[in-house]
Amino acid sequence: MSTSSSTTLETIASLCKRRGFVYQSADIYGSLNGVYDYGHLGVIMKDNIKKAWKRSINQIEGAILFFDGALLGPQAVWEASGHVQHFHDPLVDCMHCKKRYRADDVDLHKPCPHCGITKWTDVRQFNMMFKTHAGALADHGSTAYLRPETAQSIFANFKNIVSSNRVKLPFGVAQIGKAFRNEITPKQFLFRMREFEQMELEWFCEDKAADHFFEQWIALRQSFYTAIGITPVHIRLHPHSPTELAHYSKQCTDIEYQFPFGFRELEGIADRGIFDLSQHTQHSGKDLSMFNDIANTTVMPHIIECSVGVDRLFIAILFEAYTQDTLGGEERIVLRLHPSIAPIKAAFLPLTKKISEPMLRIYTNIKKELAPYDYHVEFDDSGSIGKRYRRHDEIGTPFCFTYDFESEQDEQVTVRDRDTLKQERIAFENIQSYIHNKIR
Ligand code: GAP
């Protein structure tokens, strides 16, 4: 049986394309590097990941508010946040073959990995924000940027959020949305993209409680990953050394996942201190401190941030779930996805086309009943039953219900478990509760 550590990126990317999870964007035009489109199953699975994240952040005492900020932001926001000055990656070119690298990805004492010649340019700093102009006039005043992180829109709108929601410290503001980074070398499929999605939680608290919440959030975020099916040993913590800290960060711990190319950051938990709100107060001239009625004074809230990339988590989950084994002498690919993450919760399969109709009726009823829970189910009567099982194993469907020639008499179907392959008979009337209990 092969599992995550021996699975390659190519295997996952090929499964994603074959089964309609993820495609290279604008494929027919040669595509754009680091930009991807999600297909039917990918959209549903990504949505399940987001729902699981939303549920998980609400486990803490204190209000969680939701926010959906604009993708474009004026220059002033990014001046205040420090991104115009600091959001750089070191860039180096090979003067011989013109290949471009992030300077920390290559050893400049050694030859270019592409052409084998040692002829490097000096290392330059490259700002990773996508710059554009809002409106017809491309002057300094119209400069805008696509956001490189979702967080800043929460900080820039903090005054409105606080005054319209009657919240008291501590509380959180959560946002799921696109971020854009002009990565020098986008790579490893969904791992490093130029357009991606983040799930960010900004937790506002008093200074004196910051260390306590920093530790609490690290523990809560770790437990989220095990709850959605990641093996605990595939996760580790990486506390940042002072030289690794981002310009806004006082302390930071990454949650890393063991990808086949090594342990890499999945989520960053950062203590941003009062950096962001102080910067926006200073640059906008609007006071972003809050009144604390217990202390009867105003305080500048301290921020603990939990930030994870949806796409990076998506691919980590696929690595975790991908398994190859042999069944009756035949090779089988199985995505052992947690039922809450699996895009299709159950498949309804008549044994042959001749008995499609009664199964279609059962499927149509269950589909309607499960729609309010946003559980997707599928009906499939094409091809051999073996082939249909294989397809559903490969897209991670946890349960397949089969209607056979006895079903009409005993009013039961056979349910097959994707992981154990155990089969049992259950009554038509119990199908819905079976799915519910298993997913919970
Ligand atoms: N607001 C803080 C922030 O943006 P970050 O460590 O730069 O911090 C947070 O990014 C998360 O976003 C990362 O842990 C990663 O999961 C995801 N991420 C960052 N850059 C990415 C990229 N180019 N492609 C895909 N995901 C990315």
Side-chain angles (χ1 to χ4, degrees):
M1 184 160 88
S2 83
T3 51
S4 65
S5 55
S6 55
T7 309
T8 64
L9 264 171
E10 291 68 30
T11 308
I12 296 294
S14 142
L15 177 124
C16 281
K17 184 174 177 182
R18 190 169 66 249
R19 292 302 184 190
F21 284 87
V22 182
Y23 315 106
Q24 182 82 52
S25 193
D27 206 5
I28 56 168
Y29 292 103
S31 75
L32 191 56
N33 212 359
V35 182
Y36 291 89
D37 294 338
Y38 282 77
H40 177 63
L41 296 179
V43 171
I44 303 173
M45 179 166 143
K46 201 149 79 129
D47 203 37
N48 291 343
I49 293 175
K50 293 177 196 174
K51 282 189 280 198
W53 180 80
K54 279 190 193 164
R55 284 194 298 270
S56 75
I57 55 170
N58 249 324
Q59 309 270 320
I60 198 163
E61 224 176 279
I64 299 282
L65 307 173
F66 288 97
F67 190 80
D68 186 6
L71 306 186
L72 275 175
Q75 168 112 6
V77 167
W78 308 107
E79 294 275 9
S81 69
H83 283 79
V84 172
Q85 301 95 308
H86 301 292
F87 200 57
H88 293 117
D89 259 355
L91 170 92
V92 71
D93 292 308
C94 168
M95 286 195 269
H96 180 253
C97 70
K98 313 284 182 236
K99 192 130 172 86
R100 181 159 282 180
Y101 299 92
R102 267 173 72 134
D104 45 12
D105 276 351
V106 280
D107 182 347
L108 299 179
H109 301 294
K110 290 193 177 155
C112 165
H114 185 243
C115 68
I117 307 285
T118 311
K119 214 170 173 204
W120 297 111
T121 60
D122 288 340
V123 174
R124 283 115 58 217
Q125 292 301 323
F126 170 72
N127 191 292
M128 293 203 293
M129 282 195 294
F130 282 98
K131 193 176 185 176
T132 185
H133 289 277
L137 269 187
D139 60 8
H140 181 70
S142 69
T143 302
Y145 292 91
L146 283 174
R147 60 184 187 184
E149 60 171 7
T150 70
Q152 290 305 322
S153 53
I154 296 175
F155 307 144
N157 231 322
F158 187 68
K159 212 173 171 53
N160 282 328
I161 294 174
V162 169
S163 63
S164 56
N165 286 290
R166 298 157 39 96
V167 273
K168 288 186 180 154
L169 294 176
F171 67 94
V173 183
Q175 175 167 203
I176 300 178
K178 289 261 175 158
F180 301 82
R181 295 184 189 179
N182 200 358
E183 297 282 353
I184 298 166
T185 47
K187 59 184 170 189
Q188 288 145 341
F189 191 36
L190 307 180
F191 181 82
R192 194 177 299 287
M193 304 157 83
R194 288 192 166 128
E195 176 180 338
F196 56 99
E197 258 187 299
Q198 288 185 316
M199 302 189 281
E200 299 204 297
L201 171 74
E202 308 303 323
W203 183 252
F204 299 93
C205 62
E206 286 185 76
D207 253 341
K208 59 177 193 280
D211 283 341
H212 158 73
F213 283 122
F214 183 64
E215 296 305 328
Q216 187 172 1
W217 275 114
I218 293 173
L220 281 172
R221 300 307 304 140
Q222 261 185 300
S223 60
F224 166 69
Y225 293 106
T226 43
I228 57 166
I230 304 245
T231 315
V233 292
H234 292 163
I235 288 284
R236 74 174 188 198
L237 296 180
H238 168 70
H240 282 209
S241 66
T243 54
E244 289 176 288
L245 289 174
H247 66 273
Y248 50 74
S249 203
K250 285 177 73 171
Q251 52 178 332
C252 182
T253 291
D254 286 343
I255 296 182
E256 295 184 334
Y257 176 71
Q258 189 176 23
F259 289 96
F261 37 92
F263 272 101
R264 294 284 186 282
E265 175 186 348
L266 193 55
E267 168 157 1
I269 296 140
D271 177 349
R272 299 181 75 125
I274 57 166
F275 176 83
D276 301 276
L277 293 181
S278 305
Q279 285 289 108
H280 286 297
T281 295
Q282 198 190 328
H283 283 247
S284 67
K286 308 280 185 321
D287 182 10
L288 299 184
S289 59
M290 273 181 82
F291 187 72
N292 178 343
D293 50 6
I294 298 171
N296 202 23
T297 176
T298 54
V299 292
M300 190 60 87
H302 196 115
I303 299 167
I304 305 296
E305 174 187 73
C306 307
S307 174
V308 51
V310 183
D311 316 83
R312 201 174 279 188
L313 178 53
F314 186 98
I315 179 185
I317 290 174
L318 288 181
F319 273 119
E320 188 69 23
Y322 187 93
T323 329
Q324 254 175 299
D325 58 20
T326 2
L327 188 65
E330 254 187 68
E331 205 172 76
R332 155 176 110 126
I333 294 170
V334 198
L335 279 188
R336 293 183 194 273
L337 294 169
H338 190 280
S340 67
I341 302 295
I344 305 300
K345 306 297 185 214
F348 291 80
L349 317 170
L351 191 62
T352 71
K353 270 207 166 142
K354 279 188 208 136
I355 44 177
S356 277
E357 244 175 59
M359 189 49 148
L360 189 57
R361 274 199 300 276
I362 294 174
Y363 158 76
T364 309
N365 275 338
I366 298 278
K367 186 179 169 214
K368 260 193 233 151
E369 283 165 7
L370 294 178
Y373 307 96
D374 221 4
Y375 291 170
H376 292 256
V377 288
E378 270 190 13
F379 172 82
D380 189 356
D381 66 355
S382 56
S384 74
I385 189 76
K387 269 207 174 120
R388 283 178 275 158
Y389 281 151
R390 287 303 99 77
R391 173 174 177 268
H392 280 284
D393 286 342
E394 207 176 323
I395 65 172
T397 307
F399 311 107
C400 286
F401 295 93
T402 305
Y403 189 100
D404 56 30
F405 293 104
E406 277 160 41
S407 297
E408 199 167 37
Q409 277 80 51
D410 65 4
E411 300 199 334
Q412 294 188 357
V413 286
T414 301
V415 54
R416 169 188 180 268
D417 184 293
R418 174 197 69 200
D419 298 337
T420 62
L421 294 174
K422 223 180 96 195
Q423 303 209 2
E424 56 181 310
R425 297 287 282 176
I426 65 161
F428 296 166
E429 63 193 28
N430 294 335
I431 297 176
Q432 194 198 343
S433 59
Y434 182 93
I435 296 174
H436 264 299
N437 293 339
K438 292 286 185 178
I439 291 171
R440 270 195 223 116

